[in-house]
PDB file of all heavy atoms in Angstrom:
ATOM      1  N   LEU M1401      28.007 189.155 128.038  1.00 85.00           N
ATOM      2  CA  LEU M1401      28.101 188.501 126.692  1.00 85.00           C
ATOM      3  C   LEU M1401      27.214 189.212 125.626  1.00 85.00           C
ATOM      4  O   LEU M1401      27.422 189.031 124.488  1.00 85.00           O
ATOM      5  CB  LEU M1401      27.685 187.083 126.878  1.00 85.00           C
ATOM      6  CG  LEU M1401      28.562 186.173 127.771  1.00 85.00           C
ATOM      7  CD1 LEU M1401      28.132 184.776 127.817  1.00 85.00           C
ATOM      8  CD2 LEU M1401      30.033 186.241 127.279  1.00 85.00           C
ATOM      9  N   GLY M1451      44.492 193.428 130.893  1.00 88.00           N
ATOM     10  CA  GLY M1451      45.508 193.702 129.997  1.00 88.00           C
ATOM     11  C   GLY M1451      46.458 194.690 130.485  1.00 88.00           C
ATOM     12  O   GLY M1451      46.241 195.513 131.510  1.00 88.00           O
ATOM     13  N   GLY M1467      69.996 197.846 133.895  1.00 78.00           N
ATOM     14  CA  GLY M1467      70.602 197.402 135.117  1.00 78.00           C
ATOM     15  C   GLY M1467      71.768 196.468 134.863  1.00 78.00           C
ATOM     16  O   GLY M1467      72.687 196.367 135.651  1.00 78.00           O
ATOM     17  N   VAL M1680     128.129 172.022  71.838  1.00 90.00           N
ATOM     18  CA  VAL M1680     126.895 172.552  72.426  1.00 90.00           C
ATOM     19  C   VAL M1680     125.807 171.563  72.107  1.00 90.00           C
ATOM     20  O   VAL M1680     125.456 171.244  70.931  1.00 90.00           O
ATOM     21  CB  VAL M1680     126.541 173.966  71.894  1.00 90.00           C
ATOM     22  CG1 VAL M1680     125.327 174.496  72.590  1.00 90.00           C
ATOM     23  CG2 VAL M1680     127.737 174.911  72.046  1.00 90.00           C
ATOM     24  N   SER M1721     145.985 182.907  87.627  1.00 54.00           N
ATOM     25  CA  SER M1721     145.562 183.574  88.924  1.00 54.00           C
ATOM     26  C   SER M1721     144.804 182.685  89.835  1.00 54.00           C
ATOM     27  O   SER M1721     144.527 182.972  90.948  1.00 54.00           O
ATOM     28  CB  SER M1721     144.830 184.900  88.639  1.00 54.00           C
ATOM     29  OG  SER M1721     143.637 184.579  88.004  1.00 54.00           O
TER      30      SER M1721
END
Side-chain angles (χ1 to χ4, degrees):
L1401 297 180
V1680 184
S1721 61

